[in-house]
Amino acid sequence: MASEKTPVIEWLFDKYWDEENKRLTKTIMTLADIREGIQFCNGNDGKGRSELNPANFIKDFLRGSNATRNWPPSITERRYTAKQKTGDGNAFEFVPFAGDQEEPFPESFKIPDDAPTYQIESISVPQITKSLGRADETWLIQVAVKLRVVETHFAVGSKLPMIELSHLQMGIKLRRTEIDALFLGKLETKEGVVNAIVTCEAKHYKDPFIPEQIINQIQASFEITDTDLVIPIGIKAKKGIGLYVVEFEPVKREESLALTELQFASCVIYELKPPVKGI
């Protein structure tokens, strides 16, 4: 079944499509645009789509593995996709396909079949806590922090010379983005010890990593800290097994504003022994 957001997206695209010149006259859709699109489509088909949370409109659409299937075919034919564009009343932006792109939302950074697997204990999480486990990002991060999964990754799964790592905060809501967990690391380099912020994006096992979300986290980290290096990572549940950690190449402050792509660095599956409910 197609998403009820599909007609809204198609209406917004067609509203700003210049057929004669084969281009959009406006690419960034605002919260007001989304409300207008919802109102029009509700009046057209009688559906009761809610206007209460337009900020999550495209975020919810991109969740799971059905974004490409639910994307309007007419927009795919014109080789356009979308990315989140938050802050200043914006919601998302229509963007042209990359040169070799074949589908609207190709999944980036899937769990590779040959990813190395390390076992880590989970008996230190009390049974009463495990009994409340749920398949959501908050629980995933809570388990990762409790079991020091990120610290383990930089000790055994990363090529970076990390000598110290401290968890700072979970669930950081900022104006343009949300960071699921933030860490402060210390790297031992030829020039001496260098501080680095580690950002963490958490995903349910069905949800793909969205590069734009991680890039937004990197840029926001430079805005709220004076650190000149950010190491982005993603953590995703591997159902019934444990946590998949993907690490990307560090980003320097002077590179961050022009950043459009993430560079893969390493990945590891951390198998929880015994298994943990919700993961």
Side-chain angles (χ1 to χ4, degrees):
M1 179 183 295
S3 167
E4 290 187 0
K5 293 179 172 63
T6 303
V8 178
I9 293 168
E10 186 168 34
W11 184 84
L12 288 170
F13 189 92
D14 288 341
K15 178 181 178 181
Y16 295 106
W17 179 251
D18 179 352
E19 179 62 27
E20 182 178 351
N21 295 300
K22 305 296 182 184
R23 67 179 185 88
L24 287 166
T25 58
K26 174 181 172 180
T27 61
I28 296 176
M29 300 296 108
T30 66
L31 303 181
D33 287 324
I34 290 174
R35 291 191 186 96
E36 183 184 6
I38 290 173
Q39 290 169 0
F40 177 88
C41 291
N42 283 350
N44 187 54
D45 59 22
K47 298 287 181 66
R49 301 172 184 85
S50 173
E51 305 171 36
L52 296 180
N53 198 3
N56 279 351
F57 180 89
I58 201 69
K59 180 180 179 181
D60 292 341
F61 181 86
L62 295 176
R63 285 183 181 275
S65 57
N66 294 324
T68 287
R69 188 183 71 181
N70 290 333
W71 192 242
S74 67
I75 302 180
T76 300
E77 290 171 5
R78 286 172 278 189
R79 295 182 58 79
Y80 272 82
T81 181
K83 65 179 182 180
Q84 285 182 274
K85 191 81 171 179
T86 55
D88 301 322
N90 298 323
F92 71 93
E93 181 177 12
F94 289 115
V95 293
F97 278 17
D100 59 350
Q101 190 169 340
E102 296 297 331
E103 59 181 272
F105 302 100
E107 184 173 348
S108 300
F109 310 110
K110 293 181 181 180
I111 302 178
D113 294 334
D114 60 350
T117 299
Y118 299 142
Q119 293 183 342
I120 58 176
E121 63 81 21
S122 66
I123 59 174
S124 56
V125 179
Q127 285 291 93
I128 185 62
T129 303
K130 288 177 181 174
S131 70
L132 301 175
R134 307 192 330 159
D136 58 30
E137 289 86 353
T138 302
W139 173 241
L140 187 155
I141 287 293
Q142 184 176 337
V143 171
V145 169
K146 174 67 176 178
L147 298 179
R148 297 185 177 275
V149 172
V150 177
E151 291 88 337
T152 299
H153 174 77
F154 282 103
V156 304
S158 174
K159 296 179 181 179
L160 293 176
M162 189 77 73
I163 58 172
E164 182 180 309
L165 190 67
S166 302
H167 175 241
L168 299 178
Q169 194 173 344
M170 292 190 292
I172 305 167
K173 295 183 183 294
L174 302 171
R175 187 168 67 92
R176 293 180 181 272
T177 190
E178 180 175 350
I179 303 174
D180 291 316
L182 203 65
F183 299 78
L184 176 63
K186 294 184 180 294
L187 302 174
E188 191 168 41
T189 70
K190 294 179 180 179
E191 292 75 26
V193 176
V194 174
N195 287 339
I197 290 292
V198 176
T199 62
C200 179
E201 169 71 358
K203 289 294 183 186
H204 181 269
Y205 71 91
K206 288 185 178 180
D207 294 341
F209 289 116
I210 300 172
E212 289 82 8
Q213 290 180 341
I214 299 175
I215 290 171
N216 287 342
Q217 293 173 359
I218 296 168
Q219 294 169 339
S221 296
F222 286 121
E223 293 177 3
I224 63 173
T225 72
D226 59 2
T227 308
D228 291 324
L229 193 69
V230 170
I231 305 165
I233 67 170
I235 299 181
K236 186 174 186 176
K238 187 167 175 60
K239 190 176 182 182
I241 296 177
L243 302 175
Y244 169 68
V245 177
V246 57
E247 175 193 343
F248 305 100
E249 291 290 345
V251 178
K252 297 178 180 178
R253 180 179 289 273
E254 60 267 25
E255 302 168 340
S256 63
L257 291 180
L259 186 66
T260 58
E261 293 183 358
L262 298 168
Q263 301 299 318
F264 172 85
S266 68
C267 67
V268 175
I269 296 168
Y270 294 95
E271 182 181 3
L272 303 183
K273 302 292 285 186
V276 173
K277 180 182 178 181
I279 294 177

